[in-house]
Amino acid sequence: MQEQFKSLERRGALTPVWALLVMLLVPGLPQCSMLLHQHPTVAILAHHWPPIQHDTLRPRAEELRAQALALIRKPTRDGLDRAAERLRESARLFIGARLTEAAAEDYLSLGEVYSFRSQFQRALNMYQLALVLNHGGSPDIRCLALSRITAIYVTLTDALQIKKYSNQVMECARALKPQIKAQAMAAQGLGLMYARDPTAALNLFRAAKELLRDPQDVDLLASVSLNEGQAFFQSGDTKSALGSERLAKRLWQSSQNIHGTARAESALGLLLVLMGEPDEAATNYKDALMTFRSIGDLENEAVTLNGLGVLSAEIGNYQESYRYFSGARKVFAQLEDPTGQLAAIDGQARAKWKMGHYVQARRLYEIKLHLAQRPANDRMRASASVNLADFYARQHMAKKAEEFYVFAVELCRQVHHDLGRMDALIHLGHFYIEQGDDSKALGALQEALPLAESNALAASQAQIHFETAAAYQLMNDLTRARLEIEKTIQIIETQRPKVADFGSRAAYFSSVHGYYQLYIGILMELHTKFPEEGYARRAFEAAESSKVRSLLDLLAGATGAGCENHPTATVAADRSAPENSTARPALTDCSGRAPSVLTLSQVQSEIRGDDAILLEYALGQQHSYLWAVDEAGMTVYELPEMKTIADQTAPLFHALTARQRAQGMKTIEASRTILNADRFAPLYAARLSRTLLGPVAHLLARKRVIIVPDGLLQYVPFAALPLTSQAGSQKTVAPVIVSLPSASTLSAIRSAAAAHVQPTALAAIFGDPVFGRDDIRCRACGARGNRTQELPATLRSALMDTGNSAVRLPRLEESGQEARWIAALMPKGKNLLATGFDANLDAVIKGDLGKYRYLHFATHGLLDAKRPEFSGLVLSLVNRRGKPVDGFLQLNDIYGLKLSADLVVLSSCDSALGKDLSSEGVIGLTRAFLSAGSRGVVATLWRVDDQATSILMKRFYGRIRAGESPAAALRGAQSEMAAIPRWKYPYYWAAFILQGDYR
């Protein structure tokens, strides 16, 4: 019966008379007793209902109310449930005692509980019941109920009801005490904001704040400040909005109101993102999300998820952005909130667009436009029009695209939506540039710039200057183009230190890589016209500024003594929860200054006396460039555009890895695949060598060649490219080849190494771990085999991300032999050899690896390009008793190591790979070990052969034992392998590259 009652109540089908009948049939339903007062006949019957004694009910009701209000003050999901039960019971007792105003107050509080839980219809019912119970009674209760009803209808975007109740609030608020009047004015202000009249709303909010002088009004003052901030934001005054939202947060924190604090944090998140403060935004959002989820506040949870989606997009992590927006859309759909759904759909579409999924994005934008027309949401209509215009422009439907752009600009102008107009103008300016109409482009961009400046929107200002520079470049006005793009670079360099988290800094710089590409292109065009003016040098230094800045910052932080936030001091990884994909080590540059990017002369100083040449590449859509730097000077060469280089790189990579891809094929098919690959690989290698190294062939007769790759060149095995000492010469040269993320990291690596304590031991070697209970070594210990053993959560997640659904990992028996060979080559007594069960996670994390000069890992490596923090090395997954243990050495664990090693060798598959973030390079194991303190890392570009690797490593360490540097030893070992008929093919040895210091 109770369930039937609740169903009728939700549908609004329960009339007062039926309520009385249900109450007679089902005693103890307080909802029914509330409805007695909605009808005169029922009220008369209720009047004759036998009363219960005052003196026994009132104290108990007041006690229950006090308990409920305490639970609401510090809300949790369970606490709010208990609060609702107590309020319903206290209201029932008050009614029984004929204290209907007191019961009405309980129903106001009960409505607040339901509002917390985003159960807005139930909250409205409670407020309506409060009005009924208070009929003819306290004007304060009536005004509070009407104010809260108005606020809920603003959330529900019901224009008719907003107008109706807002008018009633205005009528009832005139002669009340200040606190009630302030709440009424705040509700009216929300109604005005919905009507897009932020100026009038601000006047009301200011007046409301003037009324709140009592220290007990702190929560209400915080709420009004929050609304004021939102009104400032709606009016385009972002700075004032930030001040109001921060005040709201401080006030709620002072009163220990966690729900209010979370509301302020969520509102602050968006403002901070727009003002170029992504780290502070992320902190606020994540704290708010935790609170909302603990309470069960679905509406605010979804709003915060939307905000995190915006944040992830701003820093260039579009996959994560899409996940956040998708989560928000589901919650908004559950709540039947069309406005929230619009925002989430918009975010989903933007993320898909940025990922290059244009058709999926268009479909989402069409849904957005369709939904925006229902509630006549002009801002979303304008936004969807810009989005679809972008799609039509991409499809070369210029006329249709221009119509949509112009419509969006004019619509935003009509509704005084300055930020929307700014965004539409930026897109329109870019469109005109693409169409070659430079004057119209400049007109649109010049109209957009003051809108961005007045709202302190750093990212938008940077984009406007970037687009303006592109327009001037097309007009061949290179001087103005340079000035504009330098304004862009200055803005993003100003913003860069504010992105403290290494992952978000990497993603942020990846997202602005195009700015540096344009800057380099303009400087090189100026160099062509004015070769003596130093523009080539400035272009080289610009290329350096664009590369792997997050790694440079980590290395700079590694030299800071006594820094509590040193990246190796704290590791923010939740090892048990693969959902925690945003966990990354914190970073603070302890020196208090930004790490420096080297100038050309400083780069030359780093390689002076080493008979070395540094080759730095910058790939571009129209032109690519190569700078050749030695201690005597610098020369720059123009290379083909990125696409041409990509077309030459892909066939070589496929040919070199044909043996890997042939696994699983039938014998005849595999033989044919390998035979064709071996025939064409030398031709592909020679062609790519002519493109990448041909211009500097006359400079390659050096002892060392240092490669600073860009983009896809990070995956090129330069050791497999034929090198000649001069153009057309058949004489090959075999210099040491080493790779660097950027020239500036060479100095940073050396500075960090100088600050480390020198190693006291020689080598720590890990190999042939035990991956499952089915391993024969487990059976030898008495453990029974179990092929269905579940892998650790993070390892399982990483395997799924890499497309590997295996429930077990195969043993690498050759890796054990490899480890023993290496140990045998080292002097006795100063080594750690950990194989089998001993090659476990504790041995790495707690094993004081900082005292070893060499670290060697011969095991499975997993490179998760989707979520690089789940990349890692797999160590023993069971102990000697056959019990499962966590053996996954994740990226965050590696960042937390304190190393002083000259070299780390990752003798595993694909260990040089990872997530490519454009100018930030590959985020993976190599980066992590360099950041942890190693001077160099040997890693692999593809899945290597187990037996060939063991032989290569034996020769490699033999050369190191003889006194060669790691770089020279690797080059020598590769040359020896190439001379052995069985191992001569580059597949067996060219995958190994050394990154770091070549000395």
Side-chain angles (χ1 to χ4, degrees):
M1 177 66 76
Q2 290 192 21
E3 289 302 317
Q4 293 173 346
F5 173 84
K6 291 176 182 177
S7 175
L8 290 167
E9 182 187 30
R10 281 195 298 269
R11 299 203 309 267
L14 199 61
T15 67
V17 175
W18 275 110
L20 176 59
L21 292 175
V22 172
M23 187 184 74
L24 292 170
L25 292 170
V26 189
L29 283 179
Q31 296 94 329
C32 301
S33 58
M34 298 302 94
L35 291 168
L36 288 172
H37 299 265
Q38 293 185 15
H39 193 278
T41 304
V42 179
I44 292 170
L45 292 172
H47 178 73
H48 294 287
W49 201 264
I52 308 176
Q53 293 298 317
H54 262 219
D55 52 353
T56 61
L57 295 186
R58 183 169 184 170
R60 176 56 180 161
E62 289 177 343
E63 179 185 357
L64 288 168
R65 172 190 284 176
Q67 293 173 1
L69 294 178
L71 290 167
I72 293 172
R73 189 73 183 170
K74 295 183 178 180
T76 63
R77 190 183 296 267
D78 292 338
L80 288 175
D81 288 340
R82 294 198 301 274
E85 291 173 3
R86 285 161 173 75
L87 287 169
R88 282 192 290 268
E89 178 63 14
S90 66
R92 187 182 72 82
L93 294 173
F94 278 130
I95 289 170
R98 297 287 195 266
L99 299 172
T100 55
E101 285 187 14
E105 290 183 37
D106 284 345
Y107 273 89
L108 286 177
S109 297
L110 195 54
E112 186 179 6
V113 170
Y114 289 136
S115 293
F116 278 175
R117 304 294 288 271
S118 303
Q119 297 173 348
F120 298 120
Q121 190 55 54
R122 298 189 74 178
L124 285 171
N125 290 341
M126 297 304 103
Y127 294 142
Q128 293 286 2
L129 286 169
L131 287 172
V132 170
L133 285 167
N134 185 64
H135 184 70
S138 167
D140 287 353
I141 292 176
R142 171 175 166 76
C143 196
L144 281 175
L146 292 171
S147 297
R148 294 180 185 180
I149 289 171
T150 302
I152 287 186
Y153 279 125
V154 169
T155 300
L156 298 176
T157 65
D158 188 329
L160 291 176
Q161 297 292 347
I162 292 170
K163 184 176 180 180
K164 171 185 173 182
Y165 283 97
S166 182
N167 289 338
Q168 292 183 49
V169 168
M170 292 174 69
E171 292 172 3
C172 78
R174 289 170 184 161
L176 302 178
K177 59 185 179 182
Q179 293 85 352
I180 306 299
K181 191 171 184 178
Q183 290 193 53
M185 296 169 78
Q188 294 171 51
L190 290 174
L192 289 167
M193 284 174 60
Y194 179 82
R196 301 297 176 189
D197 191 352
T199 303
L202 282 169
N203 290 333
L204 281 169
F205 293 141
R206 290 192 191 102
K209 290 173 73 174
E210 289 296 319
L211 295 172
L212 300 173
R213 300 293 188 181
D214 193 308
Q216 299 298 317
D217 296 336
V218 61
D219 283 338
L220 181 53
L221 181 60
S223 181
V224 175
S225 295
L226 183 75
N227 295 337
E228 180 186 52
Q230 292 168 344
F232 274 127
F233 178 67
Q234 190 181 89
S235 67
D237 188 349
T238 313
K239 288 183 179 179
S240 296
L242 190 65
S244 294
E245 307 292 20
R246 281 184 165 151
L247 174 60
K249 181 179 177 179
R250 288 196 301 272
L251 291 169
W252 268 318
Q253 285 176 328
S254 70
S255 69
Q256 298 182 332
N257 186 325
I258 63 170
H259 185 260
T261 301
R263 288 174 59 203
E265 287 170 336
S266 183
L268 274 169
L270 179 59
L271 292 171
L272 291 165
V273 170
L274 294 174
M275 298 188 75
E277 300 282 357
D279 279 336
E280 191 180 348
T283 299
N284 278 277
Y285 273 140
K286 290 174 183 177
D287 288 347
L289 188 63
M290 188 182 302
T291 299
F292 294 141
R293 283 178 169 168
S294 71
I295 294 171
D297 185 343
L298 294 177
E299 178 77 16
N300 277 311
E301 176 187 339
V303 169
T304 304
L305 286 170
N306 263 355
L308 283 164
V310 173
L311 170 62
S312 297
E314 281 294 309
I315 61 176
N317 194 336
Y318 301 113
Q319 288 180 330
E320 189 173 81
S321 175
Y322 183 78
R323 286 198 298 271
Y324 279 128
F325 282 122
S326 297
R329 184 181 176 185
K330 289 178 182 178
V331 178
F332 282 127
Q334 178 183 340
L335 296 173
E336 298 182 354
D337 181 344
T339 303
Q341 286 185 71
L342 272 172
I345 291 167
D346 178 63
Q348 284 182 301
R350 286 178 184 271
K352 284 293 184 182
W353 183 276
K354 289 292 187 178
M355 289 188 285
H357 304 158
Y358 301 111
V359 174
Q360 294 177 42
R362 185 205 68 193
R363 290 171 183 162
L364 287 165
Y365 285 137
E366 288 172 343
I367 294 171
K368 173 185 167 183
L369 184 60
H370 176 69
L371 289 177
Q373 288 173 336
R374 281 193 232 167
N377 191 325
D378 292 328
R379 294 187 175 204
M380 276 295 180
R381 282 177 63 206
S383 173
S385 297
V386 171
N387 303 143
L388 289 169
D390 288 342
F391 177 79
Y392 293 132
R394 184 173 182 83
Q395 298 299 111
H396 307 292
M397 301 168 67
K399 185 176 180 181
K400 196 167 185 178
E402 185 177 17
E403 289 174 359
F404 271 87
Y405 284 130
V406 172
F407 170 77
V409 171
E410 292 308 313
L411 181 59
C412 289
R413 198 192 309 275
Q414 290 170 19
V415 298
H416 308 290
H417 181 25
D418 286 346
L419 295 183
R421 181 158 62 98
M422 177 200 70
D423 184 63
L425 286 166
I426 293 172
H427 284 254
L428 181 59
H430 180 79
F431 167 76
Y432 284 136
I433 290 171
E434 293 290 313
Q435 297 299 308
D437 196 335
D438 306 317
S439 60
K440 283 187 178 180
L442 289 173
L445 295 168
Q446 287 166 2
E447 183 181 347
L449 183 58
L451 299 173
E453 290 175 338
S454 63
N455 289 285
L457 301 178
S460 296
Q461 291 177 59
Q463 187 177 0
I464 291 168
H465 288 299
F466 166 73
E467 298 288 358
T468 304
Y472 281 128
Q473 184 188 36
L474 288 174
M475 296 167 66
N476 204 29
D477 190 342
L478 296 177
T479 300
R480 286 187 178 180
R482 179 178 63 81
L483 292 174
E484 288 294 327
I485 193 61
E486 284 177 351
K487 290 176 184 177
T488 293
I489 299 301
Q490 183 180 8
I491 291 170
I492 63 173
E493 286 296 327
T494 301
Q495 294 302 311
R496 186 187 62 79
K498 299 177 182 178
V499 191
D501 176 88
F502 110 92
S504 61
R505 175 182 282 119
Y508 174 72
F509 270 86
S510 172
S511 69
V512 298
H513 185 46
Y515 296 165
Y516 282 102
Q517 285 184 323
L518 180 63
Y519 188 32
I520 291 167
I522 290 171
L523 290 172
M524 289 306 299
E525 284 191 51
L526 286 166
H527 167 70
T528 302
K529 289 189 172 184
F530 310 105
E532 304 302 323
E533 298 296 322
Y535 288 114
R537 172 186 57 79
R538 294 173 67 176
F540 170 79
E541 292 171 356
E544 270 296 293
S545 295
S546 73
K547 282 182 166 57
V548 289
R549 297 290 291 282
S550 59
L551 174 60
L552 194 60
D553 291 349
L554 284 169
L555 292 169
T559 63
C563 177
E564 294 180 0
N565 291 323
H566 184 282
T568 61
T570 58
V571 180
D574 181 354
R575 296 186 53 80
S576 63
E579 296 83 4
N580 185 20
S581 62
T582 58
R584 297 185 180 94
L587 168 70
T588 296
D589 178 6
C590 308
S591 64
R593 54 181 172 77
S596 59
V597 177
L598 297 190
T599 64
L600 175 61
S601 60
Q602 289 171 327
V603 171
Q604 290 173 305
S605 295
E606 288 296 327
I607 63 176
R608 182 166 288 121
D610 292 339
D611 190 24
I613 185 167
L614 182 141
L615 305 179
E616 178 147 349
Y617 293 88
L619 304 184
Q621 299 296 333
Q622 296 179 335
H623 304 282
S624 300
Y625 301 99
L626 164 61
W627 293 270
V629 179
D630 60 18
E631 59 185 271
M634 180 203 75
T635 310
V636 63
Y637 304 90
E638 185 173 315
L639 301 181
E641 74 281 0
M642 188 188 305
K643 183 179 184 305
T644 297
I645 294 174
D647 290 343
Q648 294 181 7
T649 301
L652 173 62
F653 191 86
H654 279 82
L656 293 179
T657 58
R659 283 172 171 77
Q660 170 186 312
R661 292 180 294 107
Q663 295 175 10
M665 294 183 183
K666 294 181 179 179
T667 303
I668 296 177
E669 183 183 0
S671 298
R672 186 182 301 113
T673 297
I674 294 171
L675 183 64
N676 287 333
D678 290 343
R679 179 187 306 162
F680 290 106
L683 300 176
Y684 297 147
R687 181 178 63 176
L688 187 59
S689 181
R690 286 193 297 273
T691 299
L692 299 179
L693 301 172
V696 293
H698 59 292
L699 301 173
L700 295 181
R702 303 295 179 95
K703 187 176 181 180
R704 298 177 177 90
V705 173
I706 306 162
I707 305 291
V708 181
D710 186 34
L712 58 89
L713 298 186
Q714 295 168 106
Y715 304 107
V716 170
F718 279 84
L721 302 186
L723 307 181
T724 58
S725 59
Q726 58 185 9
S729 170
Q730 297 301 312
K731 181 181 178 182
T732 59
V733 293
V736 168
I737 297 178
V738 66
S739 176
L740 281 172
S742 74
S744 299
T745 56
L746 181 59
S747 174
I749 289 169
R750 289 172 177 172
S751 296
H756 295 160
V757 177
Q758 292 302 306
T760 57
L762 198 57
I765 306 158
F766 300 85
D768 196 14
V770 181
F771 299 129
R773 296 182 64 186
D774 58 325
D775 191 296
I776 191 171
R777 291 169 289 183
C778 276
R779 292 201 291 273
C781 294
R784 295 181 180 179
N786 181 2
R787 290 184 175 274
T788 61
Q789 172 190 325
E790 188 167 334
L791 299 174
T794 48
L795 175 56
R796 192 169 63 253
S797 176
L799 283 167
M800 288 191 298
D801 282 347
T802 56
N804 188 339
S805 59
V807 295
R808 61 185 296 273
L809 294 167
R811 180 183 178 183
L812 300 173
E813 292 192 52
E814 288 288 342
S815 70
Q817 183 62 43
E818 175 185 321
R820 288 185 287 274
W821 277 349
I822 295 167
L825 289 169
M826 299 294 176
K828 304 296 182 184
K830 292 188 176 182
N831 304 308
L832 168 67
L833 175 61
T835 60
F837 298 107
D838 294 329
N840 58 53
L841 192 62
D842 280 350
V844 175
I845 294 178
K846 302 177 182 178
D848 190 17
L849 296 190
K851 67 183 181 181
Y852 293 99
R853 186 177 179 186
Y854 301 108
L855 300 178
H856 185 93
F857 295 90
T859 184
H860 286 296
L862 289 177
L863 279 300
D864 190 337
K866 292 182 180 178
R867 293 181 287 183
E869 65 273 21
F870 287 173
S871 299
L873 297 170
V874 187
L875 300 168
S876 286
L877 299 174
V878 293
N879 61 21
R880 293 183 183 278
R881 296 186 298 277
K883 293 186 177 180
V885 296
D886 186 357
F888 190 27
L889 182 70
Q890 298 174 63
L891 206 65
N892 284 322
D893 298 320
I894 298 168
Y895 276 104
L897 298 174
K898 297 180 179 179
L899 305 180
S900 300
D902 283 352
L903 184 69
V904 172
V905 177
L906 305 178
S907 182
S908 59
C909 298
D910 303 322
S911 55
L913 306 182
K915 185 171 184 176
D916 185 10
L917 291 176
S918 301
S919 60
E920 278 305 315
V922 173
I923 304 297
L925 299 177
T926 301
R927 176 80 56 86
F929 277 108
L930 288 174
S931 299
S934 177
R935 293 184 66 142
V937 179
V938 171
T940 57
L941 291 171
W942 56 75
R943 211 177 308 157
V944 292
D945 180 86
D946 196 14
Q947 186 178 3
T949 298
S950 294
I951 297 171
L952 176 69
M953 286 295 121
K954 183 177 181 182
R955 294 172 181 272
F956 170 64
Y957 280 102
R959 287 175 168 271
I960 287 180
R961 182 74 176 86
E964 292 186 14
S965 70
L970 179 61
R971 184 63 163 167
Q974 288 175 323
S975 297
E976 288 180 22
M977 291 288 286
I980 301 173
R982 182 178 178 183
W983 310 117
K984 68 179 180 180
Y985 300 105
Y987 165 71
Y988 293 112
W989 48 265
F992 290 88
I993 62 170
L994 189 147
Q995 291 193 44
D997 193 355
Y998 54 81
R999 289 177 182 170

PDB file of all heavy atoms in Angstrom, residues 225-238:
ATOM      1  N   SER A 225      26.774  35.382  -2.176  1.00  0.00           N
ATOM      2  CA  SER A 225      28.045  35.671  -2.870  1.00  0.00           C
ATOM      3  C   SER A 225      28.257  34.731  -4.049  1.00  0.00           C
ATOM      4  O   SER A 225      28.747  35.140  -5.107  1.00  0.00           O
ATOM      5  CB  SER A 225      29.212  35.551  -1.882  1.00  0.00           C
ATOM      6  OG  SER A 225      29.124  36.527  -0.874  1.00  0.00           O
ATOM      7  N   LEU A 226      27.885  33.466  -3.856  1.00  0.00           N
ATOM      8  CA  LEU A 226      27.994  32.511  -4.958  1.00  0.00           C
ATOM      9  C   LEU A 226      27.111  32.942  -6.125  1.00  0.00           C
ATOM     10  O   LEU A 226      27.555  32.955  -7.286  1.00  0.00           O
ATOM     11  CB  LEU A 226      27.583  31.119  -4.475  1.00  0.00           C
ATOM     12  CG  LEU A 226      27.720  29.995  -5.499  1.00  0.00           C
ATOM     13  CD1 LEU A 226      29.175  29.609  -5.691  1.00  0.00           C
ATOM     14  CD2 LEU A 226      26.914  28.773  -5.070  1.00  0.00           C
ATOM     15  N   ASN A 227      25.875  33.312  -5.833  1.00  0.00           N
ATOM     16  CA  ASN A 227      24.974  33.776  -6.890  1.00  0.00           C
ATOM     17  C   ASN A 227      25.501  35.046  -7.549  1.00  0.00           C
ATOM     18  O   ASN A 227      25.392  35.225  -8.768  1.00  0.00           O
ATOM     19  CB  ASN A 227      23.580  34.031  -6.316  1.00  0.00           C
ATOM     20  CG  ASN A 227      22.921  32.763  -5.818  1.00  0.00           C
ATOM     21  OD1 ASN A 227      23.267  31.669  -6.237  1.00  0.00           O
ATOM     22  ND2 ASN A 227      21.974  32.909  -4.895  1.00  0.00           N
ATOM     23  N   GLU A 228      26.071  35.930  -6.737  1.00  0.00           N
ATOM     24  CA  GLU A 228      26.637  37.168  -7.277  1.00  0.00           C
ATOM     25  C   GLU A 228      27.763  36.860  -8.253  1.00  0.00           C
ATOM     26  O   GLU A 228      27.857  37.469  -9.330  1.00  0.00           O
ATOM     27  CB  GLU A 228      27.146  38.027  -6.127  1.00  0.00           C
ATOM     28  CG  GLU A 228      27.751  39.355  -6.563  1.00  0.00           C
ATOM     29  CD  GLU A 228      28.366  40.098  -5.394  1.00  0.00           C
ATOM     30  OE1 GLU A 228      29.183  39.483  -4.665  1.00  0.00           O
ATOM     31  OE2 GLU A 228      28.045  41.285  -5.212  1.00  0.00           O
ATOM     32  N   GLY A 229      28.600  35.901  -7.890  1.00  0.00           N
ATOM     33  CA  GLY A 229      29.685  35.513  -8.787  1.00  0.00           C
ATOM     34  C   GLY A 229      29.173  34.990 -10.111  1.00  0.00           C
ATOM     35  O   GLY A 229      29.711  35.299 -11.177  1.00  0.00           O
ATOM     36  N   GLN A 230      28.100  34.205 -10.063  1.00  0.00           N
ATOM     37  CA  GLN A 230      27.534  33.672 -11.294  1.00  0.00           C
ATOM     38  C   GLN A 230      26.934  34.788 -12.153  1.00  0.00           C
ATOM     39  O   GLN A 230      26.992  34.744 -13.384  1.00  0.00           O
ATOM     40  CB  GLN A 230      26.494  32.609 -10.954  1.00  0.00           C
ATOM     41  CG  GLN A 230      27.114  31.362 -10.332  1.00  0.00           C
ATOM     42  CD  GLN A 230      26.099  30.420  -9.728  1.00  0.00           C
ATOM     43  OE1 GLN A 230      24.947  30.790  -9.486  1.00  0.00           O
ATOM     44  NE2 GLN A 230      26.512  29.193  -9.457  1.00  0.00           N
ATOM     45  N   ALA A 231      26.364  35.796 -11.487  1.00  0.00           N
ATOM     46  CA  ALA A 231      25.825  36.937 -12.235  1.00  0.00           C
ATOM     47  C   ALA A 231      26.949  37.753 -12.869  1.00  0.00           C
ATOM     48  O   ALA A 231      26.838  38.217 -14.011  1.00  0.00           O
ATOM     49  CB  ALA A 231      24.992  37.822 -11.306  1.00  0.00           C
ATOM     50  N   PHE A 232      28.041  37.946 -12.141  1.00  0.00           N
ATOM     51  CA  PHE A 232      29.198  38.628 -12.720  1.00  0.00           C
ATOM     52  C   PHE A 232      29.696  37.874 -13.956  1.00  0.00           C
ATOM     53  O   PHE A 232      30.017  38.468 -14.985  1.00  0.00           O
ATOM     54  CB  PHE A 232      30.324  38.733 -11.691  1.00  0.00           C
ATOM     55  CG  PHE A 232      30.236  39.919 -10.775  1.00  0.00           C
ATOM     56  CD1 PHE A 232      30.288  39.764  -9.396  1.00  0.00           C
ATOM     57  CD2 PHE A 232      30.126  41.208 -11.287  1.00  0.00           C
ATOM     58  CE1 PHE A 232      30.214  40.847  -8.548  1.00  0.00           C
ATOM     59  CE2 PHE A 232      30.058  42.303 -10.441  1.00  0.00           C
ATOM     60  CZ  PHE A 232      30.101  42.125  -9.072  1.00  0.00           C
ATOM     61  N   PHE A 233      29.756  36.548 -13.828  1.00  0.00           N
ATOM     62  CA  PHE A 233      30.224  35.738 -14.954  1.00  0.00           C
ATOM     63  C   PHE A 233      29.285  35.879 -16.141  1.00  0.00           C
ATOM     64  O   PHE A 233      29.724  36.012 -17.290  1.00  0.00           O
ATOM     65  CB  PHE A 233      30.331  34.278 -14.525  1.00  0.00           C
ATOM     66  CG  PHE A 233      30.759  33.347 -15.638  1.00  0.00           C
ATOM     67  CD1 PHE A 233      32.030  33.428 -16.183  1.00  0.00           C
ATOM     68  CD2 PHE A 233      29.886  32.395 -16.142  1.00  0.00           C
ATOM     69  CE1 PHE A 233      32.437  32.581 -17.206  1.00  0.00           C
ATOM     70  CE2 PHE A 233      30.276  31.542 -17.161  1.00  0.00           C
ATOM     71  CZ  PHE A 233      31.556  31.637 -17.691  1.00  0.00           C
ATOM     72  N   GLN A 234      27.979  35.873 -15.863  1.00  0.00           N
ATOM     73  CA  GLN A 234      27.007  36.019 -16.948  1.00  0.00           C
ATOM     74  C   GLN A 234      27.147  37.370 -17.634  1.00  0.00           C
ATOM     75  O   GLN A 234      26.945  37.485 -18.848  1.00  0.00           O
ATOM     76  CB  GLN A 234      25.588  35.845 -16.403  1.00  0.00           C
ATOM     77  CG  GLN A 234      24.521  35.727 -17.480  1.00  0.00           C
ATOM     78  CD  GLN A 234      23.131  35.583 -16.890  1.00  0.00           C
ATOM     79  OE1 GLN A 234      22.443  36.553 -16.636  1.00  0.00           O
ATOM     80  NE2 GLN A 234      22.721  34.341 -16.668  1.00  0.00           N
ATOM     81  N   SER A 235      27.530  38.384 -16.875  1.00  0.00           N
ATOM     82  CA  SER A 235      27.685  39.722 -17.461  1.00  0.00           C
ATOM     83  C   SER A 235      29.034  39.894 -18.141  1.00  0.00           C
ATOM     84  O   SER A 235      29.292  40.938 -18.739  1.00  0.00           O
ATOM     85  CB  SER A 235      27.509  40.791 -16.382  1.00  0.00           C
ATOM     86  OG  SER A 235      28.569  40.725 -15.437  1.00  0.00           O
ATOM     87  N   GLY A 236      29.923  38.887 -18.024  1.00  0.00           N
ATOM     88  CA  GLY A 236      31.222  38.951 -18.682  1.00  0.00           C
ATOM     89  C   GLY A 236      32.332  39.478 -17.813  1.00  0.00           C
ATOM     90  O   GLY A 236      33.470  39.615 -18.274  1.00  0.00           O
ATOM     91  N   ASP A 237      32.074  39.749 -16.525  1.00  0.00           N
ATOM     92  CA  ASP A 237      33.098  40.268 -15.615  1.00  0.00           C
ATOM     93  C   ASP A 237      33.720  39.096 -14.859  1.00  0.00           C
ATOM     94  O   ASP A 237      33.337  38.789 -13.722  1.00  0.00           O
ATOM     95  CB  ASP A 237      32.472  41.280 -14.655  1.00  0.00           C
ATOM     96  CG  ASP A 237      33.518  42.004 -13.804  1.00  0.00           C
ATOM     97  OD1 ASP A 237      34.681  41.577 -13.812  1.00  0.00           O
ATOM     98  OD2 ASP A 237      33.151  42.986 -13.132  1.00  0.00           O
ATOM     99  N   THR A 238      34.694  38.448 -15.500  1.00  0.00           N
ATOM    100  CA  THR A 238      35.264  37.221 -14.939  1.00  0.00           C
ATOM    101  C   THR A 238      36.051  37.489 -13.664  1.00  0.00           C
ATOM    102  O   THR A 238      36.008  36.690 -12.720  1.00  0.00           O
ATOM    103  CB  THR A 238      36.172  36.545 -15.984  1.00  0.00           C
ATOM    104  OG1 THR A 238      35.484  36.491 -17.235  1.00  0.00           O
ATOM    105  CG2 THR A 238      36.535  35.142 -15.564  1.00  0.00           C
TER     106      THR A 238
END
